[in-house]
Amino acid sequence: MDTNSKLQIPNSKLLDYTLRLADDALILGHRLGEWCGHGPILEQDIALTNTALDHLGRARSLYQYAAELFNQMPADEKKQVFTSVAIQNLVSTGANVDEDDLAYLRDGWDFRNALLLEQPNIDWAYTVARALFYDTFNYFFFTELSKSKNESLAAVAEKSLKEVTYHLRWSSEWAVRLGDGTDESHARMQKAVNELWMYSGELFTPNETDEEMSRAGLGVDLTKIKPLYMARVQEVLSEATLTTPPDTWMQQGGRNGRHSEHLGYVLAELQFMQRAYPGMEW
Amino acid sequence: MSNSFQEHFDRLIDSEVTIEPKDWMPDDYRKTLIRQISQHAHSEIVGMLPEGNWITRAPSLRRKAVLLAKVQDEAGHGLYLYSAAETLGVTRDELYNQLHTGKAKYSSIFNYPTLTWADMGAVGWLVDGAAIMNQVPLCRTSYGPYARAMVRVCKEESFHQRQGFEIMLTLSKGTEIQKKMAQDAFNRWWWPSLMMFGPPDAESPHTAQSVRWRIKRLTNDELRQKFVDVTVEQAKVLGLEMPDKDIKWNEERGHHDFGAINWEEFRNVVKGNGPCNKQRLETRKKAWDEGQWVRDAAMAHAEKRKSRKKAA
Amino acid sequence: MTQEIKKTNKTEWPLWEVFIRSKAGLDHKHAGSLHAADAQMAVENARDVYTRRMEGVSIWVVESRHIHASDPDQSESMYEPANDKIYRHPTFYNLPEEVKYM
């Protein structure tokens, strides 16, 4: 089905890239799911859950593809990819992995999501600011990825783009509502934007995987979408009467598996069942 | 004059014609409806919490998505029902206020804790099962907006019970520990589920009036019996033991006999002494209070927009 | 009418009525109501609340207070005069068997 062998990119790179997209989606979907039942008003509780479900759906498609890629690897190579005891045990029995194994049995350092997405919800303003940065990124990212030579990624991107277009509308409108709402909402929104800003740069900092994937026409050239992102975010913030934070030191690490403390707690809950009761059907 | 209104209303009720918001209705009817519909709405909203507990801990991605969609549906059901109540001249904010100040009741079942993943199965299977049994007859209730809300609710609810049963089935076909989990959840949720149908008919003062108004179509005891009968069969499919030693088929009645319900416990949970009453209400209040600035901001922004448009 | 007087609450988002076209070619039909701060949000809330199961392809919203309804107490004078105008219905006319479809 895929032509990546012809494009001379090692499966491990493609896997790394796919997993990061899946992890982004899962971790944010999980965070947004935390709002369910606790939103500021029923209508928005429902709205945010729809978005959470979009992210979870995308996570599943991507993990399924990642599992396919992983299962195709030679046995020796498989042992090198993930170091968690649970996955090592699976690999040693020669069993295939599936979407749930990848989500529930990898350790924190094997997660590739951006730091931004594991940041806690805190309040509606933080949730909106995080969404604004990520949805804007996603919009331009998936627009590009839908042209990928990798059919699986292109297909996911095309479907996601429709969802993300709606997400971006939601987060932009809320950013404006909060920024240009009451004094309190303005202050809260500005604070959220300021504090999350240092996690937004990572989305555009290519690592080795990005560079190889982009060169091979499989992944997205992040330098190309960064100006589009900046212009759009600035436009929204200015409509929201908010100040765009100055260029600053940007946190990095998620894409290479070095996370903030928050991820550990997310995984402790997320993976609890699979870790406590290994190898069962649910 | 008022007499003729009353007669006209009674004629409509007796000929199963639907009452609509602008029709004349007796004050009692309006009050009873507001109480019943809002209690039902509150139950949906508070009911999101025990299951919402497990969204972050669901054991597979499929289960996580299903649970999220299910709890979201409950928010939707609450919303449909609040809307139906609003047609009777009360606002959602007022109804929330009644909930938050403890003036309004909600279904006591949600004051029980969800302790293991199997509770997601038991809640779907038993609690939603009991709820559906209560709700299906309400799709033909006399008050139009309520009936229409219930049609929508029932349509969506059918997946809830199925997903719960599916969880139970997977567990009961699983490992020893999973079977234990399933049985434990069944044991804990069985009696509270029976209590969901409300006090025995002999002690339920509203029933006769409510049945005539078709805001209730079967009595508490009738529904409870129906629930026991179907659950006994379903438990056999699951291979689980009924948590009641007194359950026995009664040939003469054509129904299962069952053991005595602990109404003392029921009354206490209703009164606020259940394991989670305090925590559920505080969680709802917290969400509402912390959302105030968000709702205010949206209104303030909408006002600003309007006045800018006018100025332009 | 004994309609209770609504307590006005300044902070409560207004109520909107939602009408949904379930598929192309059909009328918009009343689906229910919801709260939203403005029209744009009302459309989006309607999408999220009332079309989760692919129930719609088009949405109308109108603030509930803008709906003018007929008075049920006048229903006799409103609707009964139409009862004896059966000549408005095609079945009023007898056509020979040979003219099957008209």
Side-chain angles (χ1 to χ4, degrees):
Chain A
M1 159 164 111
D2 279 318
T3 48
N4 47 297
S5 48
K6 275 182 261 159
L7 296 157
Q8 294 185 337
I9 192 137
N11 247 3
S12 62
K13 280 282 177 297
L14 187 54
L15 175 65
D16 185 46
Y17 200 75
T18 306
L19 273 176
R20 117 191 352 186
L21 300 179
D23 292 343
D24 275 2
L26 174 63
I27 300 300
L28 185 60
H30 180 94
R31 279 296 192 210
L32 295 180
E34 291 174 353
W35 269 111
C36 186
H38 307 273
I41 189 162
L42 273 180
E43 284 81 353
Q44 288 300 312
D45 206 301
I46 293 169
L48 205 53
T49 302
N50 272 346
T51 304
L53 285 168
D54 287 343
H55 289 310
L56 280 180
R58 186 171 76 253
R60 291 189 65 188
S61 313
L62 288 161
Y63 282 131
Q64 284 161 13
Y65 178 51
E68 218 176 275
L69 293 170
F70 182 79
N71 292 332
Q72 286 163 10
M73 286 178 164
D76 281 353
E77 205 184 334
K78 277 187 189 171
K79 283 183 199 154
Q80 311 300 318
V81 187
F82 308 120
T83 53
S84 82
V85 177
I87 297 251
Q88 288 290 330
N89 286 345
L90 258 184
V91 168
S92 68
T93 65
N96 277 340
V97 302
D98 63 18
E99 56 177 68
D100 289 328
D101 298 325
L102 292 176
Y104 292 93
L105 300 181
R106 281 178 305 142
D107 289 341
W109 52 46
D110 288 332
F111 271 76
R112 293 284 180 261
N113 61 283
L115 299 173
L116 175 70
L117 304 168
E118 67 203 41
Q119 299 309 304
N121 293 334
I122 303 183
D123 69 6
W124 198 249
Y126 276 82
T127 302
V128 167
R130 186 182 57 201
L132 176 67
F133 298 155
Y134 182 60
D135 297 344
T136 311
F137 163 79
N138 257 356
Y139 178 77
F140 295 112
F141 182 87
F142 284 123
T143 304
E144 284 302 304
L145 192 66
S146 62
K147 300 171 211 158
S148 167
K149 288 184 200 160
N150 178 299
E151 288 166 22
S152 301
L153 292 181
V156 170
E158 205 179 307
K159 177 171 185 290
S160 303
L161 195 54
K162 293 178 197 145
E163 297 166 351
V164 167
T165 305
Y166 191 78
H167 302 165
L168 179 58
R169 193 165 139 189
W170 182 91
S171 48
S172 306
E173 284 173 8
W174 269 105
V176 172
R177 262 184 215 119
L178 297 183
D180 189 20
T182 62
D183 290 346
E184 181 183 3
S185 70
H186 179 87
R188 281 177 182 263
M189 191 62 203
Q190 186 67 62
K191 183 165 180 269
V193 165
N194 292 350
E195 292 196 1
L196 289 176
W197 190 253
M198 68 173 175
Y199 296 107
S200 63
E202 184 185 22
L203 297 169
F204 300 97
T205 312
N207 67 6
E208 202 188 311
T209 301
D210 287 290
E211 276 156 10
E212 280 191 51
M213 287 289 289
S214 161
R215 253 200 311 277
L218 302 173
V220 174
D221 180 358
L222 295 175
T223 56
K224 193 170 152 191
I225 63 171
K226 189 177 180 183
L228 299 171
Y229 165 91
M230 281 307 297
R232 166 77 200 208
V233 166
Q234 270 166 2
E235 187 190 319
V236 173
L237 292 181
S238 114
E239 197 191 334
T241 70
L242 295 164
T243 313
T244 305
D247 244 349
T248 178
W249 173 255
M250 290 290 180
Q251 299 295 326
Q252 309 282 344
R255 296 289 187 226
N256 297 318
R258 216 171 48 255
H259 290 274
S260 63
E261 285 181 351
H262 302 297
L263 184 70
Y265 293 101
V266 167
L267 296 185
E269 276 192 63
L270 178 84
Q271 299 184 335
F272 156 65
M273 288 295 292
Q274 293 270 357
R275 300 291 192 141
Y277 307 99
M280 300 181 198
E281 290 294 320
W282 298 99
Chain B
M1 187 68 185
S2 145
N3 226 357
S4 76
F5 276 131
Q6 180 74 49
E7 277 165 19
H8 179 67
F9 175 82
D10 288 343
R11 238 189 345 266
L12 291 182
I13 288 282
D14 293 340
S15 51
E16 305 238 329
V17 173
T18 308
I19 308 295
E20 292 296 338
K22 293 192 124 207
D23 288 333
W24 183 89
M25 58 187 86
D27 277 348
D28 255 11
Y29 178 80
R30 184 187 300 275
K31 274 189 204 137
T32 307
L33 270 174
I34 291 178
R35 195 185 60 229
Q36 183 175 328
I37 300 173
S38 63
Q39 269 184 20
H40 190 166
H42 297 328
S43 302
E44 297 282 355
I45 301 311
V46 177
M48 294 173 76
L49 301 174
E51 288 176 283
N53 275 340
W54 282 87
I55 291 171
T56 53
R57 290 177 289 173
S60 72
L61 295 174
R62 174 170 174 268
R63 292 283 179 213
K64 196 180 182 74
V66 169
L67 184 60
L68 199 46
K70 194 208 161 200
V71 180
Q72 181 196 42
D73 270 353
E74 280 152 17
H77 299 172
L79 193 155
Y80 308 151
L81 289 160
Y82 283 125
S83 300
E86 282 174 281
T87 62
L88 291 160
V90 62
T91 68
R92 198 198 287 174
D93 273 12
E94 286 173 77
L95 296 175
Y96 270 155
N97 194 39
Q98 290 172 4
L99 173 68
H100 296 157
T101 54
K103 254 171 60 192
K105 299 266 179 274
Y106 54 87
S107 181
S108 275
I109 192 94
F110 302 116
N111 291 316
Y112 289 88
T114 48
L115 303 179
T116 73
W117 170 251
D119 290 31
M120 297 305 99
V123 168
W125 172 39
L126 300 171
V127 177
D128 291 323
I132 291 170
M133 222 160 248
N134 264 323
Q135 289 167 2
V136 166
L138 292 176
C139 296
R140 292 178 296 125
T141 190
S142 63
Y143 187 57
Y146 190 20
R148 291 190 286 274
M150 289 315 302
V151 168
R152 199 172 265 277
V153 168
C154 289
K155 226 190 303 177
E156 298 184 355
E157 195 84 41
S158 61
F159 111 72
H160 295 185
Q161 194 188 10
R162 278 164 178 247
Q163 66 89 36
F165 192 77
E166 191 195 74
I167 290 174
M168 292 304 266
L169 197 59
T170 311
L171 293 175
S172 61
K173 286 198 296 201
T175 60
E176 278 311 305
I177 190 82
Q178 287 176 303
K179 276 180 216 160
K180 184 182 167 187
M181 231 184 245
Q183 185 69 53
D184 167 69
F186 189 17
N187 295 349
R188 279 183 293 108
W189 288 96
W190 172 246
W191 293 105
S193 300
L194 290 188
M195 295 177 197
M196 277 179 75
F197 297 97
D201 293 349
E203 296 165 31
S204 182
H206 295 301
T207 297
Q209 174 85 309
S210 296
V211 168
R212 174 154 194 243
W213 285 346
R214 304 194 325 271
I215 55 183
K216 201 165 193 175
R217 309 210 48 147
L218 291 170
T219 70
N220 296 353
D221 287 334
E222 285 168 345
L223 286 165
R224 190 166 13 245
Q225 182 66 60
K226 209 171 145 197
F227 179 72
V228 171
D229 290 341
V230 300
T231 310
V232 167
E233 297 309 313
Q234 290 164 353
K236 281 181 199 157
V237 177
L238 294 174
L240 294 176
E241 227 174 276
M242 289 303 293
D244 176 1
K245 295 278 170 279
D246 296 328
I247 291 238
K248 214 175 65 214
W249 176 251
N250 181 329
E251 189 64 51
E252 207 176 305
R253 290 203 307 124
H255 290 294
H256 291 87
D257 291 335
F258 53 97
I261 294 170
N262 184 350
W263 291 112
E264 191 55 25
E265 174 181 322
F266 175 74
R267 277 186 288 272
N268 266 290
V269 180
V270 171
K271 248 195 286 177
N273 298 329
C276 302
N277 296 58
K278 201 162 166 271
Q279 153 191 357
R280 297 284 185 256
L281 211 53
E282 271 169 14
T283 308
R284 279 311 315 156
K285 259 157 62 184
K286 184 167 179 276
W288 185 248
D289 292 344
E290 288 179 0
Q292 187 66 50
W293 71 268
V294 178
R295 297 189 299 275
D296 289 347
M299 269 323 280
H301 179 72
E303 293 301 327
K304 280 185 188 176
R305 281 226 150 155
K306 244 188 249 163
S307 53
R308 267 178 225 149
K309 215 173 168 183
K310 261 187 205 151
Chain C
M1 282 215 306
T2 54
Q3 187 100 18
E4 282 163 28
I5 296 152
K6 278 194 190 192
K7 278 185 203 143
T8 48
N9 183 340
K10 272 190 186 159
T11 63
E12 187 164 15
W13 291 356
L15 192 66
W16 301 73
E17 301 302 321
V18 177
F19 300 83
I20 291 179
R21 185 200 295 286
S22 57
K23 58 183 180 193
L26 295 185
D27 289 328
H28 285 77
K29 200 174 148 224
H30 187 235
S33 43
L34 49 74
H35 289 270
D38 52 50
Q40 188 179 16
M41 193 204 270
V43 170
E44 288 161 23
N45 286 352
R47 177 256 193 197
D48 285 317
V49 172
Y50 288 105
T51 68
R52 300 200 303 288
R53 288 178 169 81
M54 304 177 289
E55 291 98 334
V57 294
S58 164
I59 295 171
W60 286 350
V61 294
V62 59
E63 228 186 298
S64 309
R65 65 191 174 94
H66 292 316
I67 297 220
H68 299 274
S70 60
D71 182 350
D73 295 342
Q74 292 170 3
S75 62
E76 286 182 13
S77 61
M78 288 279 278
Y79 310 115
E80 280 182 22
N83 285 357
D84 61 356
K85 315 287 193 298
I86 45 172
Y87 45 78
R88 288 194 175 115
H89 300 272
T91 45
F92 179 74
Y93 303 91
N94 291 320
L95 296 187
E97 283 282 326
E98 301 90 276
V99 191
K100 268 188 183 159
Y101 306 103
M102 182 180 281

